[in-house]
Amino acid sequence: MKAAIFGLLAAALASPALASGSHEGGHDEVMAVGEPGKKADVTQTIRVTMKETDDGQMIFAPSDFQVREGQTVRFAIKNAGELEHEFVLDQQDKVMEHKAAMEKFPDMEHEDPNAIRLTPGKSGEIVWKFTNAGTFKIACLVPGHYDAGMHGDVTVAQK
């Protein structure tokens, strides 16, 4: 049992992304959700607020979006809550992998173009080109936030 735990720990620490405490270099592969977009190509701005509710939930408002394949969108994101939150855009399975990594390494920093972490009161943006049709996830992967309801769907309609 100890050998298995040691092996898992050694494998995790051998990963450059986890060893450095960030995600940089982790998305050299083509992402199904799309690719970073160019501001000049933006056809729609979607304003998203991240916050906690009085009943203990954590939410994106709105949490579900409809866009078109090939469309470049600017997500204008504001953290209106009292806690730090993040906005991660990816496939469901990648979000769940990232969630598991964040639970093990909660201080992990992001260098990904499809993610942004904001302290309370701060705003930021992600410019994204949706290159494939399908349903993708947005999520806050700060430990406990996804489970408190901070996730949603981006449905990309086929051209």
Side-chain angles (χ1 to χ4, degrees), residues 8 11 22 65 77 85 87 91 98 104 106 117-118 126 139 151:
L8 288 172
S22 74
F65 313 97
I77 306 156
H85 293 295
F87 179 101
Q91 294 169 251
H98 185 161
K104 291 178 187 171
R117 184 178 270 212
L118 297 170
I126 293 176
H151 54 88

Side-chain angles (χ1 to χ4, degrees), residues 19-77:
S20 68
S22 74
H23 291 264
E24 55 192 322
H27 289 290
D28 291 336
E29 76 278 3
V30 175
M31 297 177 70
V33 69
E35 61 193 33
K38 296 178 183 150
K39 286 186 181 186
D41 296 336
V42 169
T43 59
Q44 180 181 6
T45 296
I46 298 175
R47 299 190 185 288
V48 182
T49 301
M50 304 185 293
K51 62 183 179 178
E52 309 87 42
T53 63
D54 291 338
D55 64 357
Q57 292 211 336
M58 297 185 188
I59 62 169
F60 292 109
S63 62
D64 295 310
F65 313 97
Q66 304 260 333
V67 298
R68 294 179 315 284
E69 182 180 12
Q71 184 177 10
T72 300
V73 172
R74 178 174 80 100
F75 289 98
I77 306 156

Side-chain angles (χ1 to χ4, degrees), residues 1 13 28 40 49 56 69 79 82-83 98 116 124-125 127-128 132 139 144 147 149 155 157:
M1 183 67 171
L13 294 175
D28 291 336
T49 301
E69 182 180 12
N79 182 350
E82 296 179 16
L83 301 171
H98 185 161
I116 189 169
E125 68 178 33
V127 176
W128 199 256
N132 296 301
D147 297 326
T155 302

Side-chain angles (χ1 to χ4, degrees), residues 15 37 40 56 59 74 78 81 88-89 97 107 118 139 145 159:
S15 168
I59 62 169
R74 178 174 80 100
K78 177 163 179 63
V88 177
L89 172 68
E97 286 174 20
D107 295 326
L118 297 170
H145 294 203
K159 283 186 182 177

